[in-house]
């Protein structure tokens, strides 16, 4: 069934596991996610960035939002696992409103680049509107920067979440789930040195807010996927993600939603490169997208098990 993200995350919060939030831009990744959730008897959270909504709507954001709601809601009605649809990194009020009106389960208002007071004000505005329409809300505190050994301490201190601010933020905004910056960053090149997240800081945010917490920039960039892509011509030198055991650790300290996009993109392109080089005569997209979809599905199945949400449907 098509459910509200809050329902999925409240149970995860209570039972100490995490649910991956998986980004889509097209039909194929959605199919891979649904299949993974069904095969693992697991809830799944589908999320679309503002760029994805523009992409699907061919520039028309209302059309894009409606298209994603109808695709996700239709697939969700067809399976017996909980599925929700979320706006990732919402910054543009028009896009957030279009998504709420189209029927999204939840929205992120990302005002984390602004000073604390403005982040509170922006978030509060969205929370009031969204809650009046039964839509749940995610917000972010701190900025996504890797904790680099050589970067001066005060600069990454300034970027990471302040746990006391998080408590105040939760109280003042009524936000349903919170993304505390603890040292991750988006994309495939997250760390120059050792991957390190600030778990002490994360635990303080959890203890002070009690909210379901979101880890952004959580892709692992699995070594085998990176190698497969490079074997068939990709140049992913220096790509490094969050190791699986660190993801599992973050769940112990209170992470319940794990945003994952890069790992899906890497799996798809690695498998597509391999398929195309081995099948020079193929030109049916239902054929050349089939094995990439399979690999994305299997990467998601493994992540569902790692985060402890298999068999939680
Ligand atoms: O935190 C994450 C996941 O980050 P990761 O998968 O790169 O680690 N996300 O929020 C996904 C970010 C998606 C960005 O989409 P656009 O390119 O359309 O703007
Ligand atoms: Ca942000
Ligand atoms: Na999000
Ligand atoms: Zn993110």
């Amino acid at each position: 069934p098509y459910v509200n993200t809050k329902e999925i995350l409240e149970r995860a919060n209570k039972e100490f596991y995490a649910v991956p939030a998986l980004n889509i831009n097209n039909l194929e990744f959605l199919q891979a996610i649904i299949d993974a959730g069904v095969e693992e008897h697991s809830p799944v959270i589908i999320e679309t960035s503002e760029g994805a909504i523009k992409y699907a709507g061919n520039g028309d954001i209302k059309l894009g939002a409606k298209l994603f709601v109808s695709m996700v809601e239709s697939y969700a009605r067809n399976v017996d696992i909980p599925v929700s649809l979320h706006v990732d990194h919402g910054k543009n009020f028009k896009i957030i409103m279009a998504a709420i009106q189209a029927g999204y389960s939840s929205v992120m208002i990302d005002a984390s680049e602004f000073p604390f007071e403005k982040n509170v004000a922006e978030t509060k505005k969205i929370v009031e509107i969204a809650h009046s329409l039964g839509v749940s809300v995610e917000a972010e505190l701190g900025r996504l920067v890797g904790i680099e050994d050589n970067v001066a301490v005060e600069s990454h201190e300034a970027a990471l979440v302040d746990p006391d601010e998080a408590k105040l933020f939760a109280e003042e905004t009524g936000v349903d789930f919170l993304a505390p910056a603890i040292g991750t960053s988006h994309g495939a090149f997250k760390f120059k040195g050792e991957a390190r997240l600030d778990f002490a800081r994360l635990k303080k945010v959890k203890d002070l807010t009690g909210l379901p917490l979101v880890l952004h920039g959580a892709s692992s960039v699995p070594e085998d996927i990176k190698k497969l892509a490079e074997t068939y011509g990709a140049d992913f030198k220096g790509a490094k993600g969050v190791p699986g055991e660190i993801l599992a650790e973050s769940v112990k300290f209170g992470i319940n939603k794990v945003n994952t996009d890069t790992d899906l993109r890497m799996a798809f392109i690695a498998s597509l490169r391999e398929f195309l080089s081995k099948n020079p005569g193929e030109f049916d997209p239902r054929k050349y997208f089939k094995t990439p979809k399979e690999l994305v599905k299997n990467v998601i199945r493994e992540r569902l098990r790692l985060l402890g949400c298999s068999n939680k449907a």
Side-chain angles (χ1 to χ4, degrees):
Y2 185 60
V3 302
N4 192 302
T5 309
K6 184 172 176 151
E7 182 186 312
I8 293 177
L9 292 182
E10 290 204 321
R11 186 177 158 199
N13 195 14
K14 238 196 337 282
E15 300 179 19
F16 257 89
Y17 58 91
V19 181
L22 301 150
N23 288 74
I24 64 168
N25 296 283
N26 64 21
L27 184 66
E28 284 73 21
F29 283 65
L30 172 57
Q31 291 173 338
I33 295 164
I34 296 290
D35 291 348
V38 166
E39 290 173 19
E40 288 297 324
H41 307 291
S42 166
V44 287
I45 299 168
I46 315 276
E47 60 180 17
T48 60
S49 66
E50 295 190 335
I53 291 174
K54 288 175 195 156
Y55 178 79
N58 231 3
D60 179 334
I61 57 170
K62 281 203 178 83
L63 179 71
K66 281 261 28 107
L67 195 62
F68 279 132
V69 168
S70 58
M71 277 162 55
V72 173
E73 203 172 2
S74 312
Y75 276 119
R77 281 218 189 88
N78 230 17
V79 294
D80 62 357
I81 57 167
V83 179
S84 80
L85 176 60
H86 175 75
V87 172
D88 188 26
H89 289 291
K91 297 191 175 184
N92 175 318
F93 184 75
K94 283 208 298 292
I95 295 180
I96 292 174
M97 286 315 296
I100 290 175
Q101 275 145 5
Y104 272 63
S105 316
S106 56
V107 298
M108 176 182 187
I109 164 66
D110 179 358
S112 72
E113 77 239 49
F114 300 116
F116 181 78
E117 283 314 323
K118 182 165 159 82
N119 190 355
V120 167
E122 292 298 302
T123 302
K124 220 168 145 164
K125 187 171 79 178
I126 298 297
V127 166
E128 273 150 21
I129 299 169
H131 282 186
S132 72
L133 295 162
V135 173
S136 47
V137 181
E138 173 185 331
E140 186 173 22
L141 274 173
R143 287 190 312 290
L144 296 177
V145 284
I147 303 178
E148 301 302 342
D149 298 345
N150 53 1
V151 169
V153 174
E154 52 282 353
S155 74
H156 76 235
E157 278 294 315
L160 300 183
V161 64
D162 170 339
D164 297 319
E165 265 192 9
K167 178 172 169 33
L168 197 57
F169 188 87
E171 287 157 1
E172 293 196 1
T173 60
V175 74
D176 299 292
F177 24 105
L178 185 63
I182 55 169
T184 56
S185 57
H186 288 148
F189 306 88
K190 297 179 194 298
F191 305 97
K192 289 186 195 63
E194 176 78 8
R196 212 156 39 83
L197 303 189
D198 191 335
F199 287 138
R201 194 182 293 266
L202 170 59
K203 184 158 180 0
K204 282 199 195 106
V205 173
K206 191 68 174 188
D207 293 344
L208 289 169
T209 65
L211 288 177
L213 298 182
V214 185
L215 186 65
H216 281 250
S219 279
S220 294
V221 188
E223 198 48 35
D224 57 332
I225 302 275
K226 181 169 173 283
K227 290 249 175 315
L228 178 68
E230 290 173 330
T231 303
Y232 292 97
D235 175 6
F236 291 152
K237 239 184 309 316
K240 184 173 174 58
V242 182
E245 55 278 1
I246 295 189
L247 283 185
E249 185 90 357
S250 73
V251 179
K252 288 205 196 76
F253 290 104
I255 291 292
N256 305 106
K257 174 175 179 274
V258 174
N259 282 23
T260 311
D261 189 13
T262 293
D263 283 348
L264 312 189
R265 298 181 181 190
M266 294 291 242
F268 196 91
I269 192 61
S271 176
L272 182 61
R273 283 179 168 280
E274 178 185 32
F275 184 91
L276 294 182
S277 79
K278 290 179 173 169
N279 301 275
E282 189 50 69
F283 58 91
D284 177 345
R286 292 162 301 183
K287 295 227 178 56
Y288 61 70
F289 281 159
K290 190 170 182 306
T291 27
K293 276 187 346 183
E294 283 285 314
L295 185 56
V296 172
K297 179 191 79 174
N298 289 328
V299 166
I300 295 168
R301 287 191 61 177
E302 210 177 307
R303 198 62 42 86
L304 293 168
R305 288 195 292 272
L306 176 77
L307 299 175
C309 75
S310 290
N311 299 313
K312 292 283 186 183

